[in-house]
Amino acid sequence: MRINIKVRTNAPETKIIKEDAGLIYLDVHAKPENNEANIEIIKFFHRLYKKPVTIMAGLTSKKKVLQIG
């Protein structure tokens, strides 16, 4: 399963804000430095779906495509 997300970093906590037209808006507590935000995103969706998570596109972008499972 692939999902599209748009990320806002430096948020108070990591959580899904809303879903709109196939795009998930996600607040991430981590900073966008040293890959910290990407690691937090992978951990968050792994806990949510209990499956392996990979960032397929957008490693340095606010918009990302995740592969779940």
Side-chain angles (χ1 to χ4, degrees):
M1 167 175 64
R2 287 190 185 205
I3 58 172
N4 296 309
I5 63 171
K6 184 170 182 184
V7 177
R8 184 180 75 163
T9 56
N10 293 323
E13 64 180 310
T14 300
K15 64 181 180 179
I16 294 174
I17 300 301
K18 69 177 181 174
E19 294 184 44
D20 185 33
L23 184 64
I24 295 174
Y25 292 84
L26 182 72
D27 274 0
V28 177
H29 179 69
K31 297 180 183 196
E33 299 166 356
N34 299 323
N35 224 15
E36 291 175 20
N38 289 333
I39 292 167
E40 181 70 24
I41 291 166
I42 289 170
K43 288 180 181 179
F44 177 80
F45 281 101
H46 176 70
R47 284 191 304 264
L48 188 66
Y49 290 104
K50 308 284 191 256
K51 294 184 180 180
V53 178
T54 307
I55 299 176
M56 300 299 291
L59 284 172
T60 59
S61 172
K62 291 183 181 216
K63 290 187 178 180
K64 303 179 185 296
V65 178
L66 304 181
Q67 176 71 38
I68 308 219

